[in-house]
Amino acid sequence: AQSVTQPDIHITVSEGASLELRCNYSYGATPYLFWYVQSPGQGLQLLLKYFSGDTLVQGIKGFEAEFKRSQSSFNLRKPSVHWSDAAEYFCAVDPSNTGNQFYFGTGTSLTVIP
Amino acid sequence: DTGVSQNPRHKITKRGQNVTFRCDPISEHNRLYWYRQTLGQGPEFLTYFQNEAQLEKSRLLSDRFSAERPKGSFSTLEIQRTEQGDSAMYLCASSQNPGNTIYFGEGSWLTVV
């Protein structure tokens, strides 16, 4: 079945440590790929997106993500986490590259400890 | 650019009542989407509009749900005869062109008691 998988439900990191959040998708062609962040009780904010071209994309707040076609992955990274990064992170795909529908993973909750 | 605006932000209603949510998209965005999100889950697609035309509806959108975008600007999502299972956050998003990035509002929380 077609899906977006975020295998880590919850991750805890120390402030200043590096972070990697995993995302895998199972769609035939290369979809448009996105990462969103959601603070409690709030809507979703776009961190970054990949449509084509350079497979390493830079986003806001110091985040980056790398698209790996061979692994059907689009992992989110940050070299040094700040306490304000604690939130829920969602990977999303647009399989048809048309903007008709976006499919989201179940999210990864990030806790940052001082 | 004031972002996607949703209201009310919170609504508590008794089972069986009707509720309506409003979404004002980013100015000049011709696509508008409704999603539903329950606790611990990612957003699930409900429907989207291209201007005033509703082009796609999810199977999640039962007959009790109706969405409109009469003038191609703001949209309303109405839920009739609410059930406890309707309790969720209803998210609206918009985009400028097909295939572009969608931008979300802050959501409308619905609690059915």
Side-chain angles (χ1 to χ4, degrees):
Chain A
Q2 297 178 329
S3 66
V4 183
T5 302
Q6 293 182 246
D8 303 306
I9 296 173
H10 185 240
I11 285 182
T12 300
V13 299
S14 298
E15 191 169 16
S18 63
L19 172 70
E20 182 170 28
L21 302 182
R22 296 182 288 166
C23 174
N24 294 91
Y25 62 90
S26 58
Y27 294 92
T30 298
Y32 289 168
L33 299 160
F34 307 82
W35 275 99
Y36 286 85
V37 61
Q38 186 178 36
S39 297
Q42 301 297 312
L44 283 77
Q45 181 184 22
L46 177 70
L47 286 176
L48 47 77
K49 59 189 177 184
Y50 174 78
F51 288 173
S52 65
D54 191 344
T55 57
L56 184 64
V57 294
Q58 303 297 320
I60 63 172
K61 304 183 179 185
F63 285 93
E64 66 179 26
E66 185 173 14
F67 167 60
K68 293 185 177 180
R69 184 190 307 274
S70 61
Q71 298 177 18
S72 297
S73 69
F74 188 56
N75 294 349
L76 182 72
R77 301 194 293 249
K78 186 169 184 178
S80 177
V81 170
H82 188 263
W83 65 266
S84 61
D85 293 325
E88 190 86 16
Y89 291 80
F90 292 95
C91 178
V93 305
D94 172 8
S96 63
N97 301 347
T98 61
N100 291 352
Q101 276 202 37
F102 295 79
Y103 295 92
F104 287 80
T106 53
T108 297
S109 176
L110 175 65
T111 297
V112 180
I113 55 177
Chain B
D1 188 343
T2 58
V4 178
S5 176
Q6 293 188 244
N7 65 83
R9 293 291 318 280
H10 298 90
K11 179 73 176 178
I12 300 174
T13 190
K14 292 183 178 179
R15 188 176 55 185
Q17 297 294 305
N18 300 344
V19 296
T20 299
F21 298 110
R22 175 179 169 125
C23 172
D24 288 90
I26 294 172
S27 178
E28 297 182 358
H29 277 196
N30 55 6
R31 283 213 170 180
L32 186 147
Y33 306 79
W34 284 100
Y35 280 77
R36 181 171 70 186
Q37 185 180 22
T38 54
L39 287 176
Q41 299 297 315
E44 296 174 296
F45 171 81
L46 292 178
T47 188
Y48 85 90
F49 293 83
Q50 175 85 23
N51 298 312
E52 66 274 10
Q54 188 173 19
L55 296 186
E56 193 161 343
K57 293 193 293 185
S58 164
R59 288 172 293 175
L60 293 175
L61 211 65
S62 76
D63 291 344
R64 296 184 296 104
F65 288 70
S66 62
E68 296 182 344
R69 195 183 183 197
K71 297 182 180 179
S73 56
F74 74 92
S75 175
T76 58
L77 177 69
E78 181 183 19
I79 309 173
Q80 296 181 324
R81 305 180 303 282
T82 52
E83 303 173 354
Q84 287 188 323
D86 298 331
S87 296
M89 181 160 69
Y90 291 85
L91 290 160
C92 179
S94 68
S95 68
Q96 189 168 20
N97 285 301
N100 280 11
T101 307
I102 58 172
Y103 296 90
F104 283 87
E106 295 196 333
S108 292
W109 280 102
L110 173 64
T111 301
V112 181
V113 298

mmCIF file of all heavy atoms in Angstrom, chain B residues 32-73:
data_model
loop_
_atom_site.group_PDB
_atom_site.id
_atom_site.type_symbol
_atom_site.label_atom_id
_atom_site.label_comp_id
_atom_site.label_asym_id
_atom_site.label_seq_id
_atom_site.Cartn_x
_atom_site.Cartn_y
_atom_site.Cartn_z
ATOM 1 N N LEU B 32 -7.743 25.601 -2.058
ATOM 2 C CA LEU B 32 -8.049 25.571 -0.627
ATOM 3 C C LEU B 32 -8.348 24.141 -0.241
ATOM 4 O O LEU B 32 -9.090 23.436 -0.920
ATOM 5 C CB LEU B 32 -9.254 26.471 -0.318
ATOM 6 C CG LEU B 32 -9.608 26.666 1.153
ATOM 7 C CD1 LEU B 32 -10.175 28.067 1.384
ATOM 8 C CD2 LEU B 32 -10.571 25.619 1.653
ATOM 9 N N TYR B 33 -7.756 23.712 0.868
ATOM 10 C CA TYR B 33 -7.849 22.323 1.325
ATOM 11 C C TYR B 33 -8.415 22.278 2.746
ATOM 12 O O TYR B 33 -8.154 23.164 3.557
ATOM 13 C CB TYR B 33 -6.461 21.677 1.376
ATOM 14 C CG TYR B 33 -5.664 21.755 0.101
ATOM 15 C CD1 TYR B 33 -4.998 22.917 -0.267
ATOM 16 C CD2 TYR B 33 -5.523 20.645 -0.728
ATOM 17 C CE1 TYR B 33 -4.244 22.987 -1.427
ATOM 18 C CE2 TYR B 33 -4.765 20.699 -1.884
ATOM 19 C CZ TYR B 33 -4.136 21.873 -2.228
ATOM 20 O OH TYR B 33 -3.383 21.931 -3.374
ATOM 21 N N TRP B 34 -9.140 21.210 3.023
ATOM 22 C CA TRP B 34 -9.537 20.898 4.395
ATOM 23 C C TRP B 34 -8.927 19.549 4.779
ATOM 24 O O TRP B 34 -8.996 18.578 4.012
ATOM 25 C CB TRP B 34 -11.053 20.811 4.528
ATOM 26 C CG TRP B 34 -11.745 22.132 4.534
ATOM 27 C CD1 TRP B 34 -12.396 22.741 3.503
ATOM 28 C CD2 TRP B 34 -11.890 23.021 5.654
ATOM 29 N NE1 TRP B 34 -12.918 23.945 3.896
ATOM 30 C CE2 TRP B 34 -12.630 24.137 5.213
ATOM 31 C CE3 TRP B 34 -11.467 22.975 6.986
ATOM 32 C CZ2 TRP B 34 -12.949 25.205 6.047
ATOM 33 C CZ3 TRP B 34 -11.780 24.027 7.821
ATOM 34 C CH2 TRP B 34 -12.517 25.137 7.346
ATOM 35 N N TYR B 35 -8.335 19.528 5.976
ATOM 36 C CA TYR B 35 -7.776 18.312 6.552
ATOM 37 C C TYR B 35 -8.348 18.123 7.947
ATOM 38 O O TYR B 35 -8.779 19.074 8.596
ATOM 39 C CB TYR B 35 -6.245 18.413 6.669
ATOM 40 C CG TYR B 35 -5.497 18.156 5.385
ATOM 41 C CD1 TYR B 35 -5.423 19.122 4.388
ATOM 42 C CD2 TYR B 35 -4.869 16.934 5.162
ATOM 43 C CE1 TYR B 35 -4.740 18.880 3.209
ATOM 44 C CE2 TYR B 35 -4.180 16.691 3.988
ATOM 45 C CZ TYR B 35 -4.126 17.662 3.019
ATOM 46 O OH TYR B 35 -3.457 17.419 1.852
ATOM 47 N N ARG B 36 -8.308 16.891 8.414
ATOM 48 C CA ARG B 36 -8.696 16.597 9.783
ATOM 49 C C ARG B 36 -7.530 15.908 10.476
ATOM 50 O O ARG B 36 -6.852 15.059 9.885
ATOM 51 C CB ARG B 36 -9.922 15.683 9.811
ATOM 52 C CG ARG B 36 -10.408 15.354 11.207
ATOM 53 C CD ARG B 36 -11.730 14.631 11.163
ATOM 54 N NE ARG B 36 -11.602 13.286 10.629
ATOM 55 C CZ ARG B 36 -12.649 12.489 10.391
ATOM 56 N NH1 ARG B 36 -13.865 12.928 10.616
ATOM 57 N NH2 ARG B 36 -12.463 11.292 9.907
ATOM 58 N N GLN B 37 -7.310 16.285 11.721
ATOM 59 C CA GLN B 37 -6.220 15.691 12.498
ATOM 60 C C GLN B 37 -6.720 15.289 13.874
ATOM 61 O O GLN B 37 -7.275 16.101 14.606
ATOM 62 C CB GLN B 37 -5.060 16.674 12.629
ATOM 63 C CG GLN B 37 -3.838 16.093 13.313
ATOM 64 C CD GLN B 37 -2.698 17.086 13.434
ATOM 65 O OE1 GLN B 37 -2.904 18.291 13.385
ATOM 66 N NE2 GLN B 37 -1.485 16.589 13.603
ATOM 67 N N THR B 38 -6.531 14.033 14.209
ATOM 68 C CA THR B 38 -6.853 13.551 15.547
ATOM 69 C C THR B 38 -5.561 13.391 16.336
ATOM 70 O O THR B 38 -4.469 13.361 15.775
ATOM 71 C CB THR B 38 -7.619 12.224 15.489
ATOM 72 O OG1 THR B 38 -6.858 11.294 14.698
ATOM 73 C CG2 THR B 38 -8.981 12.417 14.856
ATOM 74 N N LEU B 39 -5.703 13.272 17.646
ATOM 75 C CA LEU B 39 -4.534 13.221 18.519
ATOM 76 C C LEU B 39 -3.608 12.073 18.141
ATOM 77 O O LEU B 39 -4.051 10.945 17.939
ATOM 78 C CB LEU B 39 -4.970 13.084 19.976
ATOM 79 C CG LEU B 39 -5.575 14.333 20.628
ATOM 80 C CD1 LEU B 39 -6.059 14.029 22.029
ATOM 81 C CD2 LEU B 39 -4.561 15.476 20.628
ATOM 82 N N GLY B 40 -2.348 12.378 18.009
ATOM 83 C CA GLY B 40 -1.352 11.364 17.709
ATOM 84 C C GLY B 40 -1.278 10.940 16.264
ATOM 85 O O GLY B 40 -0.553 9.990 15.928
ATOM 86 N N GLN B 41 -2.005 11.627 15.419
ATOM 87 C CA GLN B 41 -2.016 11.282 13.997
ATOM 88 C C GLN B 41 -1.608 12.481 13.144
ATOM 89 O O GLN B 41 -1.667 13.627 13.588
ATOM 90 C CB GLN B 41 -3.411 10.821 13.577
ATOM 91 C CG GLN B 41 -3.896 9.588 14.313
ATOM 92 C CD GLN B 41 -3.027 8.382 14.031
ATOM 93 O OE1 GLN B 41 -2.651 8.101 12.893
ATOM 94 N NE2 GLN B 41 -2.687 7.635 15.076
ATOM 95 N N GLY B 42 -1.230 12.177 11.913
ATOM 96 C CA GLY B 42 -0.984 13.243 10.970
ATOM 97 C C GLY B 42 -2.288 13.718 10.360
ATOM 98 O O GLY B 42 -3.321 13.050 10.475
ATOM 99 N N PRO B 43 -2.254 14.859 9.703
ATOM 100 C CA PRO B 43 -3.466 15.355 9.035
ATOM 101 C C PRO B 43 -3.945 14.389 7.957
ATOM 102 O O PRO B 43 -3.135 13.799 7.232
ATOM 103 C CB PRO B 43 -3.010 16.675 8.420
ATOM 104 C CG PRO B 43 -1.820 17.090 9.221
ATOM 105 C CD PRO B 43 -1.142 15.811 9.605
ATOM 106 N N GLU B 44 -5.261 14.258 7.843
ATOM 107 C CA GLU B 44 -5.876 13.418 6.822
ATOM 108 C C GLU B 44 -6.692 14.296 5.882
ATOM 109 O O GLU B 44 -7.481 15.124 6.320
ATOM 110 C CB GLU B 44 -6.791 12.378 7.457
ATOM 111 C CG GLU B 44 -6.077 11.377 8.338
ATOM 112 C CD GLU B 44 -7.063 10.469 9.048
ATOM 113 O OE1 GLU B 44 -7.856 10.981 9.856
ATOM 114 O OE2 GLU B 44 -7.046 9.256 8.775
ATOM 115 N N PHE B 45 -6.499 14.084 4.615
ATOM 116 C CA PHE B 45 -7.156 14.883 3.588
ATOM 117 C C PHE B 45 -8.667 14.672 3.620
ATOM 118 O O PHE B 45 -9.150 13.543 3.706
ATOM 119 C CB PHE B 45 -6.603 14.482 2.219
ATOM 120 C CG PHE B 45 -7.341 15.076 1.054
ATOM 121 C CD1 PHE B 45 -7.082 16.371 0.653
ATOM 122 C CD2 PHE B 45 -8.282 14.334 0.361
ATOM 123 C CE1 PHE B 45 -7.747 16.917 -0.432
ATOM 124 C CE2 PHE B 45 -8.959 14.873 -0.721
ATOM 125 C CZ PHE B 45 -8.683 16.173 -1.123
ATOM 126 N N LEU B 46 -9.408 15.787 3.540
ATOM 127 C CA LEU B 46 -10.865 15.713 3.438
ATOM 128 C C LEU B 46 -11.350 16.124 2.045
ATOM 129 O O LEU B 46 -12.101 15.406 1.399
ATOM 130 C CB LEU B 46 -11.516 16.607 4.487
ATOM 131 C CG LEU B 46 -11.365 16.195 5.956
ATOM 132 C CD1 LEU B 46 -12.032 17.214 6.869
ATOM 133 C CD2 LEU B 46 -11.922 14.804 6.192
ATOM 134 N N THR B 47 -10.928 17.320 1.619
ATOM 135 C CA THR B 47 -11.416 17.832 0.341
ATOM 136 C C THR B 47 -10.567 19.011 -0.092
ATOM 137 O O THR B 47 -9.825 19.574 0.708
ATOM 138 C CB THR B 47 -12.891 18.256 0.445
ATOM 139 O OG1 THR B 47 -13.396 18.586 -0.855
ATOM 140 C CG2 THR B 47 -13.055 19.468 1.354
ATOM 141 N N TYR B 48 -10.662 19.358 -1.400
ATOM 142 C CA TYR B 48 -10.021 20.595 -1.823
ATOM 143 C C TYR B 48 -10.823 21.267 -2.928
ATOM 144 O O TYR B 48 -11.616 20.629 -3.627
ATOM 145 C CB TYR B 48 -8.575 20.362 -2.249
ATOM 146 C CG TYR B 48 -8.349 19.925 -3.677
ATOM 147 C CD1 TYR B 48 -8.165 20.861 -4.695
ATOM 148 C CD2 TYR B 48 -8.266 18.587 -4.008
ATOM 149 C CE1 TYR B 48 -7.938 20.465 -5.997
ATOM 150 C CE2 TYR B 48 -8.039 18.181 -5.303
ATOM 151 C CZ TYR B 48 -7.871 19.111 -6.294
ATOM 152 O OH TYR B 48 -7.656 18.715 -7.592
ATOM 153 N N PHE B 49 -10.604 22.573 -3.025
ATOM 154 C CA PHE B 49 -11.259 23.415 -4.013
ATOM 155 C C PHE B 49 -10.212 24.055 -4.917
ATOM 156 O O PHE B 49 -9.142 24.463 -4.473
ATOM 157 C CB PHE B 49 -12.039 24.547 -3.331
ATOM 158 C CG PHE B 49 -13.218 24.097 -2.534
ATOM 159 C CD1 PHE B 49 -13.067 23.648 -1.238
ATOM 160 C CD2 PHE B 49 -14.494 24.129 -3.076
ATOM 161 C CE1 PHE B 49 -14.154 23.228 -0.497
ATOM 162 C CE2 PHE B 49 -15.589 23.718 -2.342
ATOM 163 C CZ PHE B 49 -15.418 23.268 -1.056
ATOM 164 N N GLN B 50 -10.546 24.145 -6.179
ATOM 165 C CA GLN B 50 -9.824 24.984 -7.129
ATOM 166 C C GLN B 50 -10.777 26.131 -7.431
ATOM 167 O O GLN B 50 -11.814 25.934 -8.077
ATOM 168 C CB GLN B 50 -9.485 24.208 -8.404
ATOM 169 C CG GLN B 50 -8.849 25.052 -9.492
ATOM 170 C CD GLN B 50 -7.358 25.192 -9.334
ATOM 171 O OE1 GLN B 50 -6.711 24.369 -8.697
ATOM 172 N NE2 GLN B 50 -6.799 26.244 -9.884
ATOM 173 N N ASN B 51 -10.438 27.308 -6.941
ATOM 174 C CA ASN B 51 -11.381 28.430 -6.969
ATOM 175 C C ASN B 51 -12.677 28.001 -6.280
ATOM 176 O O ASN B 51 -12.619 27.526 -5.152
ATOM 177 C CB ASN B 51 -11.598 28.902 -8.403
ATOM 178 C CG ASN B 51 -10.301 29.405 -9.019
ATOM 179 O OD1 ASN B 51 -9.585 30.191 -8.391
ATOM 180 N ND2 ASN B 51 -9.973 28.922 -10.208
ATOM 181 N N GLU B 52 -13.838 28.110 -6.931
ATOM 182 C CA GLU B 52 -15.073 27.732 -6.242
ATOM 183 C C GLU B 52 -15.456 26.274 -6.476
ATOM 184 O O GLU B 52 -16.431 25.788 -5.884
ATOM 185 C CB GLU B 52 -16.219 28.644 -6.687
ATOM 186 C CG GLU B 52 -16.618 28.498 -8.141
ATOM 187 C CD GLU B 52 -15.778 29.360 -9.071
ATOM 188 O OE1 GLU B 52 -14.761 29.921 -8.597
ATOM 189 O OE2 GLU B 52 -16.129 29.466 -10.255
ATOM 190 N N ALA B 53 -14.737 25.570 -7.303
ATOM 191 C CA ALA B 53 -15.086 24.191 -7.643
ATOM 192 C C ALA B 53 -14.454 23.208 -6.651
ATOM 193 O O ALA B 53 -13.239 23.230 -6.435
ATOM 194 C CB ALA B 53 -14.625 23.881 -9.052
ATOM 195 N N GLN B 54 -15.298 22.345 -6.113
ATOM 196 C CA GLN B 54 -14.804 21.289 -5.232
ATOM 197 C C GLN B 54 -14.383 20.117 -6.108
ATOM 198 O O GLN B 54 -15.231 19.440 -6.704
ATOM 199 C CB GLN B 54 -15.902 20.868 -4.250
ATOM 200 C CG GLN B 54 -15.429 19.915 -3.171
ATOM 201 C CD GLN B 54 -16.493 19.642 -2.121
ATOM 202 O OE1 GLN B 54 -17.687 19.878 -2.355
ATOM 203 N NE2 GLN B 54 -16.097 19.164 -0.963
ATOM 204 N N LEU B 55 -13.110 19.859 -6.194
ATOM 205 C CA LEU B 55 -12.586 18.914 -7.173
ATOM 206 C C LEU B 55 -12.387 17.507 -6.641
ATOM 207 O O LEU B 55 -12.370 16.556 -7.422
ATOM 208 C CB LEU B 55 -11.269 19.428 -7.764
ATOM 209 C CG LEU B 55 -11.359 20.724 -8.559
ATOM 210 C CD1 LEU B 55 -10.012 21.053 -9.208
ATOM 211 C CD2 LEU B 55 -12.450 20.633 -9.620
ATOM 212 N N GLU B 56 -12.211 17.370 -5.366
ATOM 213 C CA GLU B 56 -11.980 16.033 -4.836
ATOM 214 C C GLU B 56 -12.447 15.964 -3.392
ATOM 215 O O GLU B 56 -12.299 16.925 -2.647
ATOM 216 C CB GLU B 56 -10.496 15.681 -4.916
ATOM 217 C CG GLU B 56 -10.208 14.206 -4.683
ATOM 218 C CD GLU B 56 -8.834 13.793 -5.199
ATOM 219 O OE1 GLU B 56 -8.244 14.544 -6.001
ATOM 220 O OE2 GLU B 56 -8.372 12.720 -4.803
ATOM 221 N N LYS B 57 -13.032 14.822 -3.053
ATOM 222 C CA LYS B 57 -13.490 14.580 -1.693
ATOM 223 C C LYS B 57 -13.001 13.213 -1.234
ATOM 224 O O LYS B 57 -13.094 12.237 -1.973
ATOM 225 C CB LYS B 57 -15.020 14.629 -1.620
ATOM 226 C CG LYS B 57 -15.611 16.000 -1.888
ATOM 227 C CD LYS B 57 -17.075 16.070 -1.498
ATOM 228 C CE LYS B 57 -17.942 15.200 -2.358
ATOM 229 N NZ LYS B 57 -19.393 15.400 -2.020
ATOM 230 N N SER B 58 -12.543 13.161 -0.013
ATOM 231 C CA SER B 58 -12.107 11.901 0.567
ATOM 232 C C SER B 58 -13.310 11.065 1.003
ATOM 233 O O SER B 58 -14.388 11.593 1.277
ATOM 234 C CB SER B 58 -11.210 12.192 1.766
ATOM 235 O OG SER B 58 -11.063 11.051 2.576
ATOM 236 N N ARG B 59 -13.073 9.758 1.103
ATOM 237 C CA ARG B 59 -14.125 8.898 1.645
ATOM 238 C C ARG B 59 -14.400 9.221 3.112
ATOM 239 O O ARG B 59 -15.425 8.840 3.655
ATOM 240 C CB ARG B 59 -13.700 7.433 1.513
ATOM 241 C CG ARG B 59 -13.741 6.921 0.084
ATOM 242 C CD ARG B 59 -13.139 5.540 -0.007
ATOM 243 N NE ARG B 59 -11.717 5.561 0.264
ATOM 244 C CZ ARG B 59 -10.954 4.480 0.340
ATOM 245 N NH1 ARG B 59 -11.479 3.297 0.186
ATOM 246 N NH2 ARG B 59 -9.669 4.581 0.583
ATOM 247 N N LEU B 60 -13.443 9.923 3.754
ATOM 248 C CA LEU B 60 -13.651 10.334 5.137
ATOM 249 C C LEU B 60 -14.780 11.351 5.251
ATOM 250 O O LEU B 60 -15.361 11.530 6.321
ATOM 251 C CB LEU B 60 -12.368 10.960 5.698
ATOM 252 C CG LEU B 60 -11.170 10.054 5.889
ATOM 253 C CD1 LEU B 60 -9.968 10.886 6.331
ATOM 254 C CD2 LEU B 60 -11.456 8.971 6.910
ATOM 255 N N LEU B 61 -15.076 12.028 4.152
ATOM 256 C CA LEU B 61 -16.076 13.088 4.169
ATOM 257 C C LEU B 61 -17.453 12.462 3.999
ATOM 258 O O LEU B 61 -17.938 12.296 2.876
ATOM 259 C CB LEU B 61 -15.770 14.087 3.056
ATOM 260 C CG LEU B 61 -16.156 15.549 3.307
ATOM 261 C CD1 LEU B 61 -15.350 16.117 4.452
ATOM 262 C CD2 LEU B 61 -15.953 16.370 2.048
ATOM 263 N N SER B 62 -18.074 12.113 5.136
ATOM 264 C CA SER B 62 -19.383 11.466 5.059
ATOM 265 C C SER B 62 -20.444 12.471 4.629
ATOM 266 O O SER B 62 -20.181 13.660 4.486
ATOM 267 C CB SER B 62 -19.743 10.883 6.433
ATOM 268 O OG SER B 62 -20.139 11.927 7.311
ATOM 269 N N ASP B 63 -21.670 11.964 4.489
ATOM 270 C CA ASP B 63 -22.777 12.819 4.044
ATOM 271 C C ASP B 63 -23.088 13.909 5.049
ATOM 272 O O ASP B 63 -23.755 14.893 4.717
ATOM 273 C CB ASP B 63 -24.028 11.959 3.815
ATOM 274 C CG ASP B 63 -23.871 11.049 2.615
ATOM 275 O OD1 ASP B 63 -22.952 11.314 1.810
ATOM 276 O OD2 ASP B 63 -24.649 10.087 2.489
ATOM 277 N N ARG B 64 -22.624 13.748 6.267
ATOM 278 C CA ARG B 64 -22.893 14.774 7.281
ATOM 279 C C ARG B 64 -21.964 15.985 7.122
ATOM 280 O O ARG B 64 -22.207 17.017 7.729
ATOM 281 C CB ARG B 64 -22.729 14.184 8.676
ATOM 282 C CG ARG B 64 -23.717 13.077 9.007
ATOM 283 C CD ARG B 64 -23.553 12.614 10.451
ATOM 284 N NE ARG B 64 -22.238 12.012 10.698
ATOM 285 C CZ ARG B 64 -21.258 12.633 11.340
ATOM 286 N NH1 ARG B 64 -21.438 13.837 11.829
ATOM 287 N NH2 ARG B 64 -20.101 12.019 11.533
ATOM 288 N N PHE B 65 -20.948 15.820 6.320
ATOM 289 C CA PHE B 65 -19.981 16.892 6.102
ATOM 290 C C PHE B 65 -20.270 17.569 4.767
ATOM 291 O O PHE B 65 -20.487 16.899 3.756
ATOM 292 C CB PHE B 65 -18.554 16.341 6.060
ATOM 293 C CG PHE B 65 -18.017 15.885 7.388
ATOM 294 C CD1 PHE B 65 -18.523 14.754 8.006
ATOM 295 C CD2 PHE B 65 -17.001 16.582 8.010
ATOM 296 C CE1 PHE B 65 -18.020 14.335 9.233
ATOM 297 C CE2 PHE B 65 -16.490 16.168 9.232
ATOM 298 C CZ PHE B 65 -17.007 15.036 9.843
ATOM 299 N N SER B 66 -20.225 18.890 4.779
ATOM 300 C CA SER B 66 -20.334 19.618 3.520
ATOM 301 C C SER B 66 -19.411 20.823 3.551
ATOM 302 O O SER B 66 -19.315 21.525 4.554
ATOM 303 C CB SER B 66 -21.775 20.056 3.251
ATOM 304 O OG SER B 66 -22.211 20.942 4.254
ATOM 305 N N ALA B 67 -18.726 21.020 2.460
ATOM 306 C CA ALA B 67 -17.805 22.149 2.346
ATOM 307 C C ALA B 67 -18.205 22.973 1.145
ATOM 308 O O ALA B 67 -18.640 22.440 0.118
ATOM 309 C CB ALA B 67 -16.372 21.664 2.206
ATOM 310 N N GLU B 68 -18.047 24.285 1.299
ATOM 311 C CA GLU B 68 -18.372 25.203 0.213
ATOM 312 C C GLU B 68 -17.302 26.271 0.096
ATOM 313 O O GLU B 68 -16.630 26.612 1.071
ATOM 314 C CB GLU B 68 -19.727 25.881 0.466
ATOM 315 C CG GLU B 68 -20.911 24.959 0.476
ATOM 316 C CD GLU B 68 -22.213 25.704 0.692
ATOM 317 O OE1 GLU B 68 -22.173 26.871 1.132
ATOM 318 O OE2 GLU B 68 -23.270 25.113 0.416
ATOM 319 N N ARG B 69 -17.210 26.808 -1.087
ATOM 320 C CA ARG B 69 -16.336 27.951 -1.339
ATOM 321 C C ARG B 69 -17.023 28.789 -2.406
ATOM 322 O O ARG B 69 -16.620 28.822 -3.559
ATOM 323 C CB ARG B 69 -14.947 27.500 -1.797
ATOM 324 C CG ARG B 69 -13.908 28.611 -1.723
ATOM 325 C CD ARG B 69 -12.577 28.144 -2.247
ATOM 326 N NE ARG B 69 -11.572 29.209 -2.095
ATOM 327 C CZ ARG B 69 -10.410 29.225 -2.737
ATOM 328 N NH1 ARG B 69 -10.090 28.235 -3.579
ATOM 329 N NH2 ARG B 69 -9.567 30.210 -2.531
ATOM 330 N N PRO B 70 -18.077 29.468 -2.007
ATOM 331 C CA PRO B 70 -19.021 30.045 -2.973
ATOM 332 C C PRO B 70 -18.439 31.076 -3.935
ATOM 333 O O PRO B 70 -18.850 31.151 -5.077
ATOM 334 C CB PRO B 70 -20.098 30.675 -2.077
ATOM 335 C CG PRO B 70 -19.475 30.825 -0.740
ATOM 336 C CD PRO B 70 -18.476 29.725 -0.622
ATOM 337 N N LYS B 71 -17.517 31.862 -3.515
ATOM 338 C CA LYS B 71 -16.972 32.893 -4.398
ATOM 339 C C LYS B 71 -15.493 32.679 -4.676
ATOM 340 O O LYS B 71 -14.812 33.576 -5.155
ATOM 341 C CB LYS B 71 -17.200 34.277 -3.793
ATOM 342 C CG LYS B 71 -18.665 34.636 -3.633
ATOM 343 C CD LYS B 71 -18.840 36.038 -3.072
ATOM 344 C CE LYS B 71 -20.312 36.387 -2.922
ATOM 345 N NZ LYS B 71 -20.514 37.750 -2.358
ATOM 346 N N GLY B 72 -15.033 31.492 -4.374
ATOM 347 C CA GLY B 72 -13.627 31.210 -4.626
ATOM 348 C C GLY B 72 -12.682 31.894 -3.671
ATOM 349 O O GLY B 72 -11.482 31.932 -3.918
ATOM 350 N N SER B 73 -13.229 32.422 -2.568
ATOM 351 C CA SER B 73 -12.350 33.050 -1.583
ATOM 352 C C SER B 73 -12.397 32.244 -0.294
ATOM 353 O O SER B 73 -11.738 31.216 -0.199
ATOM 354 C CB SER B 73 -12.765 34.505 -1.347
ATOM 355 O OG SER B 73 -14.126 34.582 -0.942
#
